[in-house]
PDB file of all heavy atoms in Angstrom:
ATOM      1  N   GLY A   9       4.330  15.361  -0.191  1.00 97.00           N
ATOM      2  CA  GLY A   9       4.979  16.476   0.010  1.00 97.00           C
ATOM      3  C   GLY A   9       4.957  17.288  -1.207  1.00 97.00           C
ATOM      4  O   GLY A   9       4.163  17.080  -2.136  1.00 97.00           O
ATOM      5  N   PHE A  10       5.622  18.453  -1.230  1.00 98.00           N
ATOM      6  CA  PHE A  10       5.737  19.477  -2.294  1.00 98.00           C
ATOM      7  C   PHE A  10       7.204  19.702  -2.621  1.00 98.00           C
ATOM      8  O   PHE A  10       8.066  19.561  -1.883  1.00 98.00           O
ATOM      9  CB  PHE A  10       5.142  20.764  -1.835  1.00 98.00           C
ATOM     10  CG  PHE A  10       3.680  20.710  -1.353  1.00 98.00           C
ATOM     11  CD1 PHE A  10       3.364  20.355  -0.004  1.00 98.00           C
ATOM     12  CD2 PHE A  10       2.635  21.007  -2.228  1.00 98.00           C
ATOM     13  CE1 PHE A  10       2.108  20.268   0.362  1.00 98.00           C
ATOM     14  CE2 PHE A  10       1.372  20.947  -1.782  1.00 98.00           C
ATOM     15  CZ  PHE A  10       1.013  20.587  -0.517  1.00 98.00           C
ATOM     16  N   ALA A  11       7.458  20.114  -3.884  1.00 97.00           N
ATOM     17  CA  ALA A  11       8.819  20.317  -4.316  1.00 97.00           C
ATOM     18  C   ALA A  11       8.772  21.624  -5.242  1.00 97.00           C
ATOM     19  O   ALA A  11       7.856  21.750  -6.085  1.00 97.00           O
ATOM     20  CB  ALA A  11       9.385  19.125  -5.107  1.00 97.00           C
ATOM     21  N   ILE A  12       9.700  22.463  -4.965  1.00 96.00           N
ATOM     22  CA  ILE A  12       9.852  23.763  -5.805  1.00 96.00           C
ATOM     23  C   ILE A  12      11.390  24.054  -5.926  1.00 96.00           C
ATOM     24  O   ILE A  12      12.160  23.459  -5.197  1.00 96.00           O
ATOM     25  CB  ILE A  12       9.104  24.862  -5.121  1.00 96.00           C
ATOM     26  CG1 ILE A  12       9.637  25.191  -3.785  1.00 96.00           C
ATOM     27  CG2 ILE A  12       7.601  24.684  -5.083  1.00 96.00           C
ATOM     28  CD1 ILE A  12       9.066  26.595  -3.119  1.00 96.00           C
ATOM     29  N   ASP A  13      11.764  25.021  -6.701  1.00 95.00           N
ATOM     30  CA  ASP A  13      13.035  25.510  -6.849  1.00 95.00           C
ATOM     31  C   ASP A  13      13.521  25.926  -5.470  1.00 95.00           C
ATOM     32  O   ASP A  13      12.852  26.717  -4.756  1.00 95.00           O
ATOM     33  CB  ASP A  13      13.093  26.601  -7.864  1.00 95.00           C
ATOM     34  CG  ASP A  13      14.479  26.995  -8.294  1.00 95.00           C
ATOM     35  OD1 ASP A  13      15.156  27.517  -7.360  1.00 95.00           O
ATOM     36  OD2 ASP A  13      14.857  26.832  -9.437  1.00 95.00           O
ATOM     37  N   ARG A  14      14.819  25.527  -5.129  1.00 94.00           N
ATOM     38  CA  ARG A  14      15.295  25.943  -3.851  1.00 94.00           C
ATOM     39  C   ARG A  14      15.276  27.489  -3.538  1.00 94.00           C
ATOM     40  O   ARG A  14      15.095  27.817  -2.493  1.00 94.00           O
ATOM     41  CB  ARG A  14      16.793  25.476  -3.862  1.00 94.00           C
ATOM     42  CG  ARG A  14      17.581  25.670  -2.544  1.00 94.00           C
ATOM     43  CD  ARG A  14      18.924  25.175  -2.604  1.00 94.00           C
ATOM     44  NE  ARG A  14      19.111  23.802  -2.804  1.00 94.00           N
ATOM     45  CZ  ARG A  14      19.046  22.848  -1.886  1.00 94.00           C
ATOM     46  NH1 ARG A  14      19.006  23.147  -0.677  1.00 94.00           N
ATOM     47  NH2 ARG A  14      19.194  21.560  -2.188  1.00 94.00           N
ATOM     48  N   ARG A  15      15.325  28.203  -4.600  1.00 93.00           N
ATOM     49  CA  ARG A  15      15.396  29.733  -4.338  1.00 93.00           C
ATOM     50  C   ARG A  15      14.051  30.187  -3.840  1.00 93.00           C
ATOM     51  O   ARG A  15      14.052  31.250  -3.180  1.00 93.00           O
ATOM     52  CB  ARG A  15      15.659  30.402  -5.719  1.00 93.00           C
ATOM     53  CG  ARG A  15      17.103  30.152  -6.308  1.00 93.00           C
ATOM     54  CD  ARG A  15      17.125  30.676  -7.740  1.00 93.00           C
ATOM     55  NE  ARG A  15      16.211  30.006  -8.612  1.00 93.00           N
ATOM     56  CZ  ARG A  15      15.820  30.467  -9.861  1.00 93.00           C
ATOM     57  NH1 ARG A  15      16.476  31.559 -10.291  1.00 93.00           N
ATOM     58  NH2 ARG A  15      15.003  29.913 -10.554  1.00 93.00           N
ATOM     59  N   PHE A  16      13.035  29.440  -3.993  1.00 91.00           N
ATOM     60  CA  PHE A  16      11.736  29.989  -3.678  1.00 91.00           C
ATOM     61  C   PHE A  16      11.177  29.342  -2.386  1.00 91.00           C
ATOM     62  O   PHE A  16       9.954  29.723  -2.020  1.00 91.00           O
ATOM     63  CB  PHE A  16      10.774  29.776  -4.805  1.00 91.00           C
ATOM     64  CG  PHE A  16      11.145  30.403  -6.112  1.00 91.00           C
ATOM     65  CD1 PHE A  16      11.163  29.565  -7.257  1.00 91.00           C
ATOM     66  CD2 PHE A  16      11.617  31.654  -6.217  1.00 91.00           C
ATOM     67  CE1 PHE A  16      11.626  30.170  -8.449  1.00 91.00           C
ATOM     68  CE2 PHE A  16      11.941  32.248  -7.389  1.00 91.00           C
ATOM     69  CZ  PHE A  16      12.034  31.438  -8.535  1.00 91.00           C
ATOM     70  N   ILE A  17      11.903  28.645  -1.788  1.00 93.00           N
ATOM     71  CA  ILE A  17      11.465  28.048  -0.496  1.00 93.00           C
ATOM     72  C   ILE A  17      11.488  29.010   0.591  1.00 93.00           C
ATOM     73  O   ILE A  17      12.475  29.580   0.933  1.00 93.00           O
ATOM     74  CB  ILE A  17      12.251  26.755  -0.184  1.00 93.00           C
ATOM     75  CG1 ILE A  17      12.035  25.574  -1.078  1.00 93.00           C
ATOM     76  CG2 ILE A  17      11.875  26.252   1.202  1.00 93.00           C
ATOM     77  CD1 ILE A  17      12.923  24.354  -0.882  1.00 93.00           C
ATOM     78  N   ARG A  18      10.307  29.282   1.257  1.00 91.00           N
ATOM     79  CA  ARG A  18      10.251  30.215   2.307  1.00 91.00           C
ATOM     80  C   ARG A  18       9.780  29.474   3.645  1.00 91.00           C
ATOM     81  O   ARG A  18      10.217  29.999   4.679  1.00 91.00           O
ATOM     82  CB  ARG A  18       9.128  31.278   2.037  1.00 91.00           C
ATOM     83  CG  ARG A  18       9.304  32.079   0.880  1.00 91.00           C
ATOM     84  CD  ARG A  18      10.562  33.033   0.971  1.00 91.00           C
ATOM     85  NE  ARG A  18      10.767  33.847  -0.264  1.00 91.00           N
ATOM     86  CZ  ARG A  18      11.641  33.520  -1.112  1.00 91.00           C
ATOM     87  NH1 ARG A  18      12.311  32.436  -1.148  1.00 91.00           N
ATOM     88  NH2 ARG A  18      11.897  34.238  -2.143  1.00 91.00           N
ATOM     89  N   GLU A  19       9.118  28.360   3.597  1.00 91.00           N
ATOM     90  CA  GLU A  19       8.733  27.634   4.661  1.00 91.00           C
ATOM     91  C   GLU A  19       9.134  26.135   4.307  1.00 91.00           C
ATOM     92  O   GLU A  19       9.232  25.699   3.227  1.00 91.00           O
ATOM     93  CB  GLU A  19       7.327  27.625   4.926  1.00 91.00           C
ATOM     94  CG  GLU A  19       6.769  29.085   5.255  1.00 91.00           C
ATOM     95  CD  GLU A  19       7.195  29.676   6.507  1.00 91.00           C
ATOM     96  OE1 GLU A  19       7.636  28.898   7.424  1.00 91.00           O
ATOM     97  OE2 GLU A  19       7.155  30.826   6.718  1.00 91.00           O
ATOM     98  N   GLN A  20       9.438  25.351   5.413  1.00 94.00           N
ATOM     99  CA  GLN A  20       9.901  24.011   5.243  1.00 94.00           C
ATOM    100  C   GLN A  20       8.662  22.990   5.174  1.00 94.00           C
ATOM    101  O   GLN A  20       8.881  21.833   4.765  1.00 94.00           O
ATOM    102  CB  GLN A  20      10.715  23.569   6.514  1.00 94.00           C
ATOM    103  CG  GLN A  20      11.993  24.302   6.659  1.00 94.00           C
ATOM    104  CD  GLN A  20      12.836  24.277   5.322  1.00 94.00           C
ATOM    105  OE1 GLN A  20      13.190  23.189   4.869  1.00 94.00           O
ATOM    106  NE2 GLN A  20      13.344  25.424   4.770  1.00 94.00           N
ATOM    107  N   THR A  21       7.464  23.539   5.473  1.00 94.00           N
ATOM    108  CA  THR A  21       6.253  22.697   5.382  1.00 94.00           C
ATOM    109  C   THR A  21       5.108  23.457   4.818  1.00 94.00           C
ATOM    110  O   THR A  21       5.030  24.759   4.806  1.00 94.00           O
ATOM    111  CB  THR A  21       5.824  22.112   6.700  1.00 94.00           C
ATOM    112  OG1 THR A  21       5.491  23.255   7.642  1.00 94.00           O
ATOM    113  CG2 THR A  21       6.925  21.278   7.371  1.00 94.00           C
ATOM    114  N   LEU A  22       4.190  22.765   4.184  1.00 94.00           N
ATOM    115  CA  LEU A  22       2.929  23.314   3.667  1.00 94.00           C
ATOM    116  C   LEU A  22       1.904  22.277   3.906  1.00 94.00           C
ATOM    117  O   LEU A  22       1.960  21.047   3.635  1.00 94.00           O
ATOM    118  CB  LEU A  22       2.967  23.597   2.161  1.00 94.00           C
ATOM    119  CG  LEU A  22       1.849  24.108   1.473  1.00 94.00           C
ATOM    120  CD1 LEU A  22       1.475  25.444   2.050  1.00 94.00           C
ATOM    121  CD2 LEU A  22       2.064  24.214  -0.073  1.00 94.00           C
ATOM    122  N   ARG A  23       0.819  22.725   4.557  1.00 93.00           N
ATOM    123  CA  ARG A  23      -0.285  21.805   5.007  1.00 93.00           C
ATOM    124  C   ARG A  23       0.275  20.597   5.820  1.00 93.00           C
ATOM    125  O   ARG A  23      -0.263  19.455   5.673  1.00 93.00           O
ATOM    126  CB  ARG A  23      -0.979  21.443   3.739  1.00 93.00           C
ATOM    127  CG  ARG A  23      -1.846  22.490   3.133  1.00 93.00           C
ATOM    128  CD  ARG A  23      -2.665  22.060   1.762  1.00 93.00           C
ATOM    129  NE  ARG A  23      -3.532  20.944   2.183  1.00 93.00           N
ATOM    130  CZ  ARG A  23      -4.782  21.203   2.489  1.00 93.00           C
ATOM    131  NH1 ARG A  23      -5.291  22.387   2.560  1.00 93.00           N
ATOM    132  NH2 ARG A  23      -5.669  20.175   2.785  1.00 93.00           N
ATOM    133  N   GLY A  24       1.215  20.826   6.633  1.00 95.00           N
ATOM    134  CA  GLY A  24       1.906  19.801   7.416  1.00 95.00           C
ATOM    135  C   GLY A  24       2.725  18.906   6.733  1.00 95.00           C
ATOM    136  O   GLY A  24       3.066  17.852   7.267  1.00 95.00           O
ATOM    137  N   LEU A  25       3.068  19.172   5.381  1.00 97.00           N
ATOM    138  CA  LEU A  25       3.801  18.123   4.625  1.00 97.00           C
ATOM    139  C   LEU A  25       5.186  18.866   4.137  1.00 97.00           C
ATOM    140  O   LEU A  25       5.275  20.164   4.093  1.00 97.00           O
ATOM    141  CB  LEU A  25       3.173  17.779   3.304  1.00 97.00           C
ATOM    142  CG  LEU A  25       1.880  16.985   3.588  1.00 97.00           C
ATOM    143  CD1 LEU A  25       1.045  17.008   2.338  1.00 97.00           C
ATOM    144  CD2 LEU A  25       2.096  15.615   4.129  1.00 97.00           C
ATOM    145  N   PRO A  26       6.158  18.112   4.006  1.00 97.00           N
ATOM    146  CA  PRO A  26       7.539  18.761   3.638  1.00 97.00           C
ATOM    147  C   PRO A  26       7.526  19.382   2.327  1.00 97.00           C
ATOM    148  O   PRO A  26       6.976  18.990   1.344  1.00 97.00           O
ATOM    149  CB  PRO A  26       8.538  17.570   3.639  1.00 97.00           C
ATOM    150  CG  PRO A  26       7.653  16.303   3.328  1.00 97.00           C
ATOM    151  CD  PRO A  26       6.279  16.626   4.064  1.00 97.00           C
ATOM    152  N   VAL A  27       8.268  20.527   2.276  1.00 97.00           N
ATOM    153  CA  VAL A  27       8.561  21.274   1.089  1.00 97.00           C
ATOM    154  C   VAL A  27       9.992  21.045   0.745  1.00 97.00           C
ATOM    155  O   VAL A  27      10.934  21.468   1.567  1.00 97.00           O
ATOM    156  CB  VAL A  27       8.287  22.760   1.048  1.00 97.00           C
ATOM    157  CG1 VAL A  27       8.602  23.476  -0.221  1.00 97.00           C
ATOM    158  CG2 VAL A  27       6.794  22.919   1.501  1.00 97.00           C
ATOM    159  N   VAL A  28      10.401  20.343  -0.342  1.00 97.00           N
ATOM    160  CA  VAL A  28      11.798  19.930  -0.689  1.00 97.00           C
ATOM    161  C   VAL A  28      12.291  20.572  -1.906  1.00 97.00           C
ATOM    162  O   VAL A  28      11.437  21.053  -2.775  1.00 97.00           O
ATOM    163  CB  VAL A  28      11.921  18.434  -0.807  1.00 97.00           C
ATOM    164  CG1 VAL A  28      11.403  17.802   0.387  1.00 97.00           C
ATOM    165  CG2 VAL A  28      11.193  17.986  -2.066  1.00 97.00           C
ATOM    166  N   PRO A  29      13.572  20.926  -2.048  1.00 97.00           N
ATOM    167  CA  PRO A  29      14.108  21.535  -3.286  1.00 97.00           C
ATOM    168  C   PRO A  29      13.953  20.534  -4.351  1.00 97.00           C
ATOM    169  O   PRO A  29      14.121  19.267  -4.261  1.00 97.00           O
ATOM    170  CB  PRO A  29      15.629  21.753  -2.905  1.00 97.00           C
ATOM    171  CG  PRO A  29      15.715  21.681  -1.485  1.00 97.00           C
ATOM    172  CD  PRO A  29      14.626  20.632  -1.062  1.00 97.00           C
ATOM    173  N   LEU A  30      13.763  21.092  -5.644  1.00 96.00           N
ATOM    174  CA  LEU A  30      13.655  20.193  -6.675  1.00 96.00           C
ATOM    175  C   LEU A  30      14.967  19.361  -7.040  1.00 96.00           C
ATOM    176  O   LEU A  30      14.832  18.314  -7.612  1.00 96.00           O
ATOM    177  CB  LEU A  30      13.319  20.976  -8.049  1.00 96.00           C
ATOM    178  CG  LEU A  30      11.855  21.486  -8.179  1.00 96.00           C
ATOM    179  CD1 LEU A  30      11.722  22.460  -9.368  1.00 96.00           C
ATOM    180  CD2 LEU A  30      11.088  20.142  -8.462  1.00 96.00           C
ATOM    181  N   ASP A  31      16.066  19.975  -6.652  1.00 95.00           N
ATOM    182  CA  ASP A  31      17.385  19.141  -6.942  1.00 95.00           C
ATOM    183  C   ASP A  31      17.470  18.113  -5.976  1.00 95.00           C
ATOM    184  O   ASP A  31      18.396  17.197  -6.121  1.00 95.00           O
ATOM    185  CB  ASP A  31      18.611  20.142  -6.712  1.00 95.00           C
ATOM    186  CG  ASP A  31      18.673  20.934  -5.557  1.00 95.00           C
ATOM    187  OD1 ASP A  31      18.268  20.354  -4.484  1.00 95.00           O
ATOM    188  OD2 ASP A  31      19.042  22.045  -5.615  1.00 95.00           O
ATOM    189  N   GLU A  32      16.534  17.834  -4.969  1.00 96.00           N
ATOM    190  CA  GLU A  32      16.607  16.708  -4.160  1.00 96.00           C
ATOM    191  C   GLU A  32      15.324  15.715  -4.326  1.00 96.00           C
ATOM    192  O   GLU A  32      15.147  14.918  -3.568  1.00 96.00           O
ATOM    193  CB  GLU A  32      16.591  17.097  -2.579  1.00 96.00           C
ATOM    194  CG  GLU A  32      17.833  17.946  -2.218  1.00 96.00           C
ATOM    195  CD  GLU A  32      17.799  18.368  -0.741  1.00 96.00           C
ATOM    196  OE1 GLU A  32      16.812  17.884  -0.046  1.00 96.00           O
ATOM    197  OE2 GLU A  32      18.618  19.179  -0.330  1.00 96.00           O
ATOM    198  N   LEU A  33      14.644  16.031  -5.384  1.00 97.00           N
ATOM    199  CA  LEU A  33      13.427  15.403  -5.693  1.00 97.00           C
ATOM    200  C   LEU A  33      13.500  13.909  -5.751  1.00 97.00           C
ATOM    201  O   LEU A  33      12.776  13.183  -4.958  1.00 97.00           O
ATOM    202  CB  LEU A  33      12.739  15.852  -6.904  1.00 97.00           C
ATOM    203  CG  LEU A  33      11.326  15.257  -7.315  1.00 97.00           C
ATOM    204  CD1 LEU A  33      10.385  15.737  -6.308  1.00 97.00           C
ATOM    205  CD2 LEU A  33      10.888  15.815  -8.640  1.00 97.00           C
ATOM    206  N   GLU A  34      14.351  13.344  -6.546  1.00 97.00           N
ATOM    207  CA  GLU A  34      14.607  11.978  -6.713  1.00 97.00           C
ATOM    208  C   GLU A  34      15.108  11.231  -5.400  1.00 97.00           C
ATOM    209  O   GLU A  34      14.548  10.086  -5.091  1.00 97.00           O
ATOM    210  CB  GLU A  34      15.498  11.492  -7.871  1.00 97.00           C
ATOM    211  CG  GLU A  34      14.938  11.894  -9.159  1.00 97.00           C
ATOM    212  CD  GLU A  34      15.428  13.216  -9.703  1.00 97.00           C
ATOM    213  OE1 GLU A  34      15.636  14.062  -8.926  1.00 97.00           O
ATOM    214  OE2 GLU A  34      15.750  13.221 -10.928  1.00 97.00           O
ATOM    215  N   ALA A  35      15.933  11.925  -4.633  1.00 96.00           N
ATOM    216  CA  ALA A  35      16.429  11.344  -3.386  1.00 96.00           C
ATOM    217  C   ALA A  35      15.219  11.293  -2.390  1.00 96.00           C
ATOM    218  O   ALA A  35      15.140  10.270  -1.627  1.00 96.00           O
ATOM    219  CB  ALA A  35      17.515  12.170  -2.884  1.00 96.00           C
ATOM    220  N   ARG A  36      14.427  12.220  -2.282  1.00 96.00           N
ATOM    221  CA  ARG A  36      13.394  12.244  -1.291  1.00 96.00           C
ATOM    222  C   ARG A  36      12.156  11.519  -1.720  1.00 96.00           C
ATOM    223  O   ARG A  36      11.504  10.895  -0.833  1.00 96.00           O
ATOM    224  CB  ARG A  36      12.962  13.776  -0.892  1.00 96.00           C
ATOM    225  CG  ARG A  36      14.125  14.612  -0.423  1.00 96.00           C
ATOM    226  CD  ARG A  36      14.491  14.251   1.026  1.00 96.00           C
ATOM    227  NE  ARG A  36      13.312  14.448   1.938  1.00 96.00           N
ATOM    228  CZ  ARG A  36      13.186  15.672   2.477  1.00 96.00           C
ATOM    229  NH1 ARG A  36      14.018  16.645   2.351  1.00 96.00           N
ATOM    230  NH2 ARG A  36      12.125  15.825   3.377  1.00 96.00           N
ATOM    231  N   PHE A  37      11.843  11.489  -2.971  1.00 97.00           N
ATOM    232  CA  PHE A  37      10.625  10.997  -3.576  1.00 97.00           C
ATOM    233  C   PHE A  37      10.894  10.208  -4.869  1.00 97.00           C
ATOM    234  O   PHE A  37      10.753  10.717  -5.953  1.00 97.00           O
ATOM    235  CB  PHE A  37       9.506  11.968  -3.829  1.00 97.00           C
ATOM    236  CG  PHE A  37       9.103  12.757  -2.556  1.00 97.00           C
ATOM    237  CD1 PHE A  37       9.445  14.187  -2.566  1.00 97.00           C
ATOM    238  CD2 PHE A  37       8.498  12.191  -1.525  1.00 97.00           C
ATOM    239  CE1 PHE A  37       9.099  14.895  -1.376  1.00 97.00           C
ATOM    240  CE2 PHE A  37       8.139  12.975  -0.416  1.00 97.00           C
ATOM    241  CZ  PHE A  37       8.443  14.332  -0.331  1.00 97.00           C
ATOM    242  N   PRO A  38      11.562   9.054  -4.701  1.00 97.00           N
ATOM    243  CA  PRO A  38      12.065   8.419  -5.970  1.00 97.00           C
ATOM    244  C   PRO A  38      10.852   8.043  -6.882  1.00 97.00           C
ATOM    245  O   PRO A  38       9.743   7.607  -6.366  1.00 97.00           O
ATOM    246  CB  PRO A  38      12.738   7.221  -5.379  1.00 97.00           C
ATOM    247  CG  PRO A  38      12.325   6.875  -4.095  1.00 97.00           C
ATOM    248  CD  PRO A  38      11.930   8.367  -3.631  1.00 97.00           C
ATOM    249  N   PRO A  39      11.014   8.150  -8.276  1.00 97.00           N
ATOM    250  CA  PRO A  39       9.941   7.897  -9.184  1.00 97.00           C
ATOM    251  C   PRO A  39       9.525   6.457  -9.151  1.00 97.00           C
ATOM    252  O   PRO A  39       8.372   6.188  -9.641  1.00 97.00           O
ATOM    253  CB  PRO A  39      10.611   8.269 -10.507  1.00 97.00           C
ATOM    254  CG  PRO A  39      12.044   8.273 -10.346  1.00 97.00           C
ATOM    255  CD  PRO A  39      12.287   8.589  -8.888  1.00 97.00           C
ATOM    256  N   GLU A  40      10.184   5.592  -8.602  1.00 95.00           N
ATOM    257  CA  GLU A  40       9.807   4.087  -8.573  1.00 95.00           C
ATOM    258  C   GLU A  40       8.757   4.025  -7.509  1.00 95.00           C
ATOM    259  O   GLU A  40       7.911   3.061  -7.548  1.00 95.00           O
ATOM    260  CB  GLU A  40      11.019   3.195  -8.130  1.00 95.00           C
ATOM    261  CG  GLU A  40      12.115   3.106  -9.128  1.00 95.00           C
ATOM    262  CD  GLU A  40      13.044   4.290  -9.111  1.00 95.00           C
ATOM    263  OE1 GLU A  40      12.920   5.070  -7.941  1.00 95.00           O
ATOM    264  OE2 GLU A  40      13.842   4.567  -9.952  1.00 95.00           O
ATOM    265  N   ALA A  41       8.707   4.961  -6.508  1.00 95.00           N
ATOM    266  CA  ALA A  41       7.709   4.682  -5.402  1.00 95.00           C
ATOM    267  C   ALA A  41       6.648   5.932  -5.407  1.00 95.00           C
ATOM    268  O   ALA A  41       5.716   5.824  -4.579  1.00 95.00           O
ATOM    269  CB  ALA A  41       8.380   4.640  -4.103  1.00 95.00           C
ATOM    270  N   THR A  42       6.912   7.015  -6.067  1.00 97.00           N
ATOM    271  CA  THR A  42       6.131   8.186  -5.901  1.00 97.00           C
ATOM    272  C   THR A  42       5.792   8.700  -7.385  1.00 97.00           C
ATOM    273  O   THR A  42       6.711   8.878  -8.216  1.00 97.00           O
ATOM    274  CB  THR A  42       6.840   9.279  -5.077  1.00 97.00           C
ATOM    275  OG1 THR A  42       7.295   8.615  -3.935  1.00 97.00           O
ATOM    276  CG2 THR A  42       5.866  10.364  -4.788  1.00 97.00           C
ATOM    277  N   ASP A  43       4.516   9.032  -7.637  1.00 98.00           N
ATOM    278  CA  ASP A  43       4.188   9.904  -8.739  1.00 98.00           C
ATOM    279  C   ASP A  43       4.327  11.418  -8.557  1.00 98.00           C
ATOM    280  O   ASP A  43       4.585  11.741  -7.362  1.00 98.00           O
ATOM    281  CB  ASP A  43       2.743   9.501  -9.184  1.00 98.00           C
ATOM    282  CG  ASP A  43       2.448   8.019  -9.652  1.00 98.00           C
ATOM    283  OD1 ASP A  43       3.519   7.366  -9.736  1.00 98.00           O
ATOM    284  OD2 ASP A  43       1.365   7.690  -9.696  1.00 98.00           O
ATOM    285  N   ALA A  44       4.264  12.022  -9.596  1.00 98.00           N
ATOM    286  CA  ALA A  44       4.452  13.623  -9.476  1.00 98.00           C
ATOM    287  C   ALA A  44       3.305  14.283 -10.199  1.00 98.00           C
ATOM    288  O   ALA A  44       2.793  13.787 -11.210  1.00 98.00           O
ATOM    289  CB  ALA A  44       5.848  14.000  -9.967  1.00 98.00           C
ATOM    290  N   PHE A  45       3.019  15.465  -9.717  1.00 98.00           N
ATOM    291  CA  PHE A  45       1.942  16.357 -10.353  1.00 98.00           C
ATOM    292  C   PHE A  45       2.286  17.769 -10.436  1.00 98.00           C
ATOM    293  O   PHE A  45       2.650  18.325  -9.392  1.00 98.00           O
ATOM    294  CB  PHE A  45       0.674  16.119  -9.496  1.00 98.00           C
ATOM    295  CG  PHE A  45      -0.633  16.593 -10.171  1.00 98.00           C
ATOM    296  CD1 PHE A  45      -1.221  15.792 -11.206  1.00 98.00           C
ATOM    297  CD2 PHE A  45      -1.100  17.828  -9.947  1.00 98.00           C
ATOM    298  CE1 PHE A  45      -2.384  16.316 -11.935  1.00 98.00           C
ATOM    299  CE2 PHE A  45      -2.232  18.330 -10.611  1.00 98.00           C
ATOM    300  CZ  PHE A  45      -2.814  17.610 -11.566  1.00 98.00           C
ATOM    301  N   VAL A  46       2.271  18.324 -11.501  1.00 98.00           N
ATOM    302  CA  VAL A  46       2.481  19.755 -11.744  1.00 98.00           C
ATOM    303  C   VAL A  46       1.338  20.592 -11.262  1.00 98.00           C
ATOM    304  O   VAL A  46       0.191  20.337 -11.782  1.00 98.00           O
ATOM    305  CB  VAL A  46       2.788  20.163 -13.233  1.00 98.00           C
ATOM    306  CG1 VAL A  46       3.081  21.597 -13.362  1.00 98.00           C
ATOM    307  CG2 VAL A  46       3.971  19.348 -13.660  1.00 98.00           C
TER     308      VAL A  46
END
């Protein structure tokens, strides 16, 4: 999925994958199970 600042979310999905707020990042994609890329 993708993650951005909540203020800039316009669509809930991108390329068929979820777009989540950064303040929910660890809950949705915990670092123990998911890497991240800027």
Side-chain angles (χ1 to χ4, degrees):
F10 301 85
I12 60 173
D13 190 296
R14 182 182 297 273
R15 296 171 298 169
F16 304 128
I17 294 179
R18 300 291 180 266
E19 302 289 341
Q20 298 302 308
T21 62
L22 178 63
R23 295 179 60 88
L25 298 169
V27 179
V28 306
L30 278 172
D31 55 36
E32 297 179 8
L33 183 62
E34 289 99 325
R36 299 288 295 274
F37 304 111
E40 297 80 13
T42 311
D43 294 349
F45 190 84
V46 178

